[in-house]
Amino acid sequence: MESNCDIPDIIRQVKQGDQAAFDIVTTRYRLAAISWAQSIVRDAYLAEDVVQEAFIKMKEKIHDLQDDRKFAAVGNSCESNCDY
């Protein structure tokens, strides 16, 4: 899989169980997600945990996403709903 695919295509592949596609998503969004989480929890290690948990939840619930173009909103929603 090429990493330069657009996000809706990658999300469709994640929905089909493609681990490489999921790796692309986590690589592409990890640093931004950690920065966002750290601005909320004010702790670098806890922010890493929040992001890891958010990606796990995202993978579990990716099939609920109706519009693959709206992935970024789902990622933010998952992070803000973690129990930290």
Side-chain angles (χ1 to χ4, degrees):
M1 159 172 335
E2 295 183 23
S3 62
N4 61 353
C5 294
D6 66 329
I7 288 299
D9 290 338
I10 294 170
I11 296 304
R12 278 190 287 279
Q13 292 169 346
V14 172
K15 286 180 173 181
Q16 295 171 356
D18 187 334
Q19 182 61 44
F22 183 71
D23 292 345
I24 289 170
V25 171
T26 57
T27 300
R28 196 174 277 189
Y29 286 98
R30 183 178 172 274
L31 292 178
I34 290 171
S35 176
W36 182 79
Q38 191 169 354
S39 74
I40 294 170
V41 299
R42 305 281 186 222
D43 179 279
Y45 297 107
L46 184 55
E48 289 269 355
D49 290 343
V50 168
V51 170
Q52 182 176 358
E53 186 68 25
F55 280 129
I56 290 168
K57 287 184 179 183
M58 181 270 300
K59 190 173 184 182
E60 292 170 354
K61 297 187 178 281
I62 195 76
H63 298 307
D64 295 340
L65 182 62
Q66 301 282 325
D67 184 349
D68 296 337
R69 295 172 296 175
K70 296 183 177 181
F71 169 76
V74 172
N76 290 341
S77 174
C78 285
E79 286 181 349
S80 63
N81 288 323
C82 288
D83 297 326
Y84 295 97

